Amino acid sequence: MFLRNYWYVAASGHEIGQRPLGRIILGEPVVLYRLADGTPVALEDRCAHRHLPLSMGKLVDDTLQCHYHGLRYDKTGVCVRIPGQDTIPRSARVKSYPVVERYRWLWIWMGDPALADPDKITDYHWLDDPSWGAKSQYLHVKGNWQLIVDNLLDLTHLAFVHDTTIGNSALVDQAQVKVKRSEDGVTVTRWIIDAPAPPTFVKAGGFASNVDRWQIINFTPPAFLRLDVGATPTGTGAPEGRRVGGIGMWNLNAITPETERTSHYFWGQAHNFDVGNPRTTDMLIEQIRTAFLEDVAVFEAQQRNLELIPNPRQTDINADAGVIQARRILDRLHQEEGAAAAAKMVAAE
Ligand code: FES
Ligand SMILES: [Fe+2]
């Protein structure tokens, strides 16, 4: 089951053009394209006639023409032309979805369109804020979305999954970790005080001595994880909020369920040093991509096991504190959305 009344990332802005793109989102086939003036459109990717994906068709004068028998749909999903006949049945229409382009991503609303308020889009401004260098990427994962959320809420895995890339054992052994839950989010704060900077930080920040290093994970439902990470020279006051003389980055993750078993994983990295230099951005993206591919191998192996025996017993450990809080919030939101949908159905009867 998916939470529907949320904005999800459907695509990177550059993926969408005059050529229709088909993508399954929350188990529904969706076709994405742009009108001639650049306006993005999202429709159900299934012709009302004989169910061919409309993404196999093409745009003709801002209408989407089905590849099979040529029915044409406008941007609202209404059929406006049937070859060889004058009357168009009212049933000749497909669903349309609200979309908004923001932070170089295309956001889609899969729930009740009446509730689609663009102000509720989660903040990812670092991706197009000129005071940060940033870039985003896409990974397809053969695993349930929750596996990715769990992974990003517990960074102790860096010491094991990423021991040859971005991890070191100080993250587990020397860290002070605090988990804070609010009404609609979880923050996991980890400080590593007076420890050597990892090699990537030394390269980026030129640190000659020990650093105070932070990882602050912010989880916002259903599957948004924004990680504030960085370091400053030890003793300069970063834990008290004075971040001077160091480096800061945001690792930005937005996971969109494709099906129960597969996910769209949009992620990006922003940095506040060497901002105007795209080579620095590319270098960071490349390093993190290498690490994320190590994670994807973990998710896909977990998924294979989960499909052999669904809902097996599992053991929790201390490091799961953030994961458990996030799951509680998600359970509550599922119940609330389910109850609201049921009430709406009763009212309609
Ligand atoms: S299936 Fe689309 S026009 Fe026939
Ligand atoms: Fe990881």
Side-chain angles (χ1 to χ4, degrees):
M1 294 305 287
F2 305 117
L3 288 168
R4 309 197 71 82
N5 286 325
Y6 288 88
W7 290 100
Y8 287 94
V9 180
S12 301
H14 67 79
E15 290 182 284
I16 311 300
Q18 299 269 300
R19 237 178 106 144
L21 172 77
R23 185 158 274 171
I24 293 167
I25 298 173
L26 271 52
E28 293 182 18
V30 174
V31 54
L32 304 159
Y33 58 91
R34 287 184 197 276
L35 303 179
D37 70 359
T39 308
V41 177
L43 300 179
E44 180 182 357
D45 192 13
R46 176 169 38 207
C47 183
H49 179 223
R50 289 293 180 267
H51 310 302
L52 191 74
L54 292 172
S55 54
M56 290 175 70
K58 63 176 182 188
L59 284 168
V60 182
D61 300 331
D62 276 352
T63 63
L64 182 53
Q65 174 173 291
C66 181
H67 175 62
Y68 207 170
H69 313 96
L71 267 66
R72 286 187 192 167
Y73 298 86
D74 72 7
K75 64 177 182 190
T76 67
V78 170
C79 177
V80 291
R81 180 170 183 267
I82 301 179
Q85 76 183 59
D86 293 332
T87 45
I88 297 174
R90 275 167 57 89
S91 60
R93 60 185 311 151
V94 297
K95 197 166 159 183
S96 80
Y97 301 88
V99 282
V100 171
E101 198 156 13
R102 195 173 288 177
Y103 315 128
R104 304 209 170 101
W105 281 339
L106 190 71
W107 298 77
I108 191 166
W109 183 271
M110 300 298 291
D112 178 355
L115 303 176
D117 174 0
D119 286 348
K120 290 192 191 139
I121 292 176
T122 305
D123 178 18
Y124 279 86
H125 76 272
W126 301 271
L127 292 176
D128 64 358
D129 180 335
S131 49
W132 292 79
K135 204 168 174 175
S136 69
Q137 286 214 340
Y138 167 85
L139 287 167
H140 184 260
V141 178
K142 294 190 202 72
N144 178 272
W145 62 280
Q146 183 90 52
L147 297 173
I148 310 172
V149 173
D150 290 357
N151 170 279
L152 290 161
L153 273 163
D154 171 17
L155 296 184
T156 60
H157 82 269
L158 265 65
F160 304 97
V161 178
H162 308 305
D163 56 345
T164 61
T165 51
I166 55 174
N168 68 15
S169 60
L171 283 171
V172 186
D173 300 335
Q174 298 169 28
Q176 307 159 13
V177 185
K178 259 205 269 174
V179 177
K180 208 175 105 208
R181 175 174 159 188
S182 65
E183 172 71 5
D184 53 1
V186 177
T187 308
V188 181
T189 306
R190 175 181 266 109
W191 280 95
I192 305 112
I193 303 294
D194 196 7
T200 47
F201 278 35
V202 173
K203 215 169 144 196
F207 298 108
S209 58
N210 278 2
V211 295
D212 295 342
R213 180 180 175 192
W214 64 89
Q215 289 176 331
I216 303 171
I217 307 167
N218 177 283
F219 163 76
T220 303
F224 300 116
L225 290 127
R226 295 165 296 172
L227 281 61
D228 167 14
V229 300
T232 55
T234 293
T236 50
E240 293 79 43
R242 280 191 306 282
R243 293 182 179 181
V244 284
I247 57 166
M249 290 184 279
W250 281 85
N251 175 248
L252 300 159
N253 306 275
I255 301 116
T256 303
E258 181 182 42
T259 66
E260 290 286 355
R261 305 159 61 178
T262 54
S263 304
H264 304 294
Y265 185 3
F266 297 92
W267 66 275
Q269 187 80 2
H271 55 98
N272 71 356
F273 50 92
D274 208 9
V275 169
N277 186 352
R279 284 171 55 186
T280 297
T281 312
D282 287 342
M283 185 265 293
L284 289 167
I285 286 280
E286 213 30 63
Q287 278 177 3
I288 291 159
R289 183 182 164 82
T290 305
F292 277 10
L293 290 174
E294 295 171 331
D295 288 311
V296 170
V298 168
F299 307 144
E300 298 189 346
Q302 285 178 291
Q303 182 69 31
R304 286 193 292 275
N305 256 349
L306 287 167
E307 286 179 22
L308 288 176
I309 302 172
N311 298 316
R313 280 175 65 95
Q314 55 183 2
T315 305
D316 292 330
I317 60 173
N318 285 346
D320 293 317
V323 172
I324 290 165
Q325 296 297 342
R327 291 214 171 204
R328 285 195 187 135
I329 292 175
L330 289 169
D331 284 346
R332 191 195 79 222
L333 295 173
H334 269 291
Q335 280 169 15
E336 286 174 7
E337 215 176 271
K344 211 176 155 183
M345 267 169 72
V346 170
E349 270 167 18

